Amino acid sequence: MAVFRELFELVFAHRRVSAVVEVGVESGQVSAVYADLGATVYCVEPNPDERLREFLAQHPRLNLVEGASPDVLGELPAADLYVLDGDHNYAVVRRELAWIMAHAPDAVVVLHDVLWPCGRRDFYYQPSPLPPSDVHDSTRDGPTVWHDEVTPAGFVGDGAYTVATHAGGERNGVLTAVEDALADGGAGWRFEIVPAVFGFGVLARDEVPGTAELFAALRPYTSSALLAAMENNRIALYTRVLQLQYEAQTHADDANRLAETIAAQQREIERLRGELEQRDAEIATRRHELEGLRAELARRTAPRRAAPPELGTAVTQLGRAITAKVRRDPDGR
């Protein structure tokens, strides 16, 4: 919204704006724009973080209001300018507009995201406070440019929001909520769109002083075919970048999984190699033991070697000599 500063300057230049109610605060940087232009700002945010609290606390014109916009609007002073950039779905925007048109008919209402992707498709911030009857079938996938498909490579919320599965139809989208509000009770109200950065819508009653001059000042923006063409091209390029980012992340995830698989396989190979080396060492030890056992067995089973022939002959001759001697001298003399 900060890119729309020059448009807000036009609003402040042609309408008296002393109080602003801003729904959907984000960082608070845009809130400071309204304060710089001289307004007291009521910053409506259901779940402010500490950074936002600290930022708003440093600016005396900025007042934090915690709560959902349809519930807290009635608790605040009627403002001269309402900036609706909160929960981008039909049910919430329809309730916001119904209260403003009934209780602050002289105010200017600025709505962001009245074109693609939220113009004809509900977005639901999570966790959604809406009852099931106000919620279309939704998905965590995101819309793609200019048609009804939703894919993981589309305009996704990464857990922050879900989107209606289908675009168009009844009670679906921010622009549909504006059109129905005008149809039901918008006599005398005028609505124009600046076709830039997802659509900057301005709603005001013609009979309030300064309204005609404001829309005349906005006409170069709201009627610009060049601006509309540039926005179309921007969205086409933007969604293409989203697709490329998704594909790059998918490839990176695949590469990481492949690297993890390869690393696991390498660890398994190293483990098996270690086991194999251990088995080889055990086999070598067993082979050595087996060779020793074979040698011992061979030693124990080998036949005794015969006495040398010279020894046998000598023994025989000695035996014969003794026998002859006995025969010659039977008395041993």
Side-chain angles (χ1 to χ4, degrees):
M1 291 288 279
V3 298
F4 294 123
R5 181 183 179 110
E6 64 185 275
L7 300 183
F8 284 116
E9 289 175 348
L10 290 178
V11 174
F12 276 75
H14 293 88
R15 293 288 298 265
R16 180 180 177 276
V17 179
S18 59
V20 176
V21 170
E22 179 190 28
V23 176
V25 183
E26 296 183 349
S27 66
Q29 299 296 326
V30 184
S31 312
V33 170
Y34 316 132
D36 290 344
L37 294 173
T40 298
V41 187
Y42 299 93
C43 307
V44 179
E45 180 62 46
N47 299 298
D49 58 24
E50 288 305 313
R51 181 180 299 179
L52 177 60
R53 292 178 185 275
E54 293 174 2
F55 180 86
L56 298 181
Q58 295 172 5
H59 295 74
R61 288 181 176 270
L62 304 183
N63 305 277
L64 177 61
V65 181
E66 295 188 49
S69 57
D71 300 327
V72 302
L73 289 178
E75 302 173 3
L76 301 174
D80 306 298
L81 171 64
Y82 289 85
V83 181
L84 305 183
D85 192 23
D87 209 358
H88 296 79
N89 58 69
Y90 181 95
V92 170
V93 175
R94 190 72 172 80
R95 287 181 61 192
E96 291 170 341
L97 290 178
W99 189 93
I100 294 169
M101 294 171 76
H103 298 91
D106 292 340
V108 176
V109 184
V110 168
L111 303 99
H112 193 215
D113 296 287
V114 295
L115 298 179
W116 188 93
C118 303
R120 302 300 185 187
R121 187 193 300 271
D122 275 0
F123 279 49
Y124 308 105
Y125 279 103
Q126 298 299 308
S128 177
L130 296 174
S133 58
D134 285 336
V135 179
H136 295 279
D137 291 339
S138 61
T139 175
R140 290 184 178 274
D141 289 346
T144 52
V145 64
W146 310 140
H147 53 81
D148 192 39
E149 294 181 9
V150 289
T151 76
F155 194 90
V156 299
D158 292 329
Y161 58 79
T162 60
V163 306
T165 305
H166 298 287
E170 296 182 354
R171 300 176 58 81
N172 197 6
V174 174
L175 183 57
T176 306
V178 176
E179 292 171 344
D180 287 355
L182 292 173
D184 290 346
W189 288 81
R190 180 177 174 183
F191 181 64
E192 299 285 350
I193 299 173
V194 177
V197 195
F198 304 122
F200 181 96
V202 181
L203 179 67
R205 287 201 307 153
D206 275 324
E207 64 184 50
V208 178
T211 297
E213 291 79 6
L214 170 60
F215 281 115
L218 289 171
R219 188 170 298 116
Y221 301 94
T222 59
S223 63
S224 173
L226 175 61
L227 195 59
M230 292 176 65
E231 173 67 359
N232 289 346
N233 290 338
R234 187 189 71 85
I235 290 175
L237 292 172
Y238 178 62
T239 52
R240 177 55 177 160
V241 168
L242 292 178
Q243 181 182 4
L244 291 174
Q245 288 176 337
Y246 176 81
E247 292 173 355
Q249 185 61 53
T250 300
H251 292 327
D253 292 342
D254 290 343
N256 289 337
R257 283 191 293 269
L258 180 59
E260 291 173 359
T261 300
I262 292 173
Q265 290 175 343
Q266 288 176 336
R267 289 192 296 270
E268 180 66 11
I269 290 171
E270 291 301 321
R271 185 186 68 80
L272 293 174
R273 181 178 289 116
E275 290 185 359
L276 180 60
E277 292 174 353
Q278 182 179 357
R279 297 296 183 271
D280 287 344
E282 292 175 355
I283 290 171
T285 301
R286 298 295 182 269
R287 181 178 292 113
H288 181 73
E289 293 174 352
L290 180 59
E291 291 174 353
L293 291 173
R294 284 176 176 172
E296 178 66 17
L297 179 62
R299 185 184 66 79
R300 293 185 178 185
T301 58
R304 294 181 179 178
R305 293 186 298 176
E310 298 82 1
L311 180 60
T313 302
V315 170
T316 300
Q317 292 176 350
L318 179 59
R320 289 176 180 175
I322 293 173
T323 300
K325 181 174 177 60
V326 171
R327 288 177 179 175
R328 290 193 304 268
D329 190 3
D331 294 329
R333 297 190 296 270

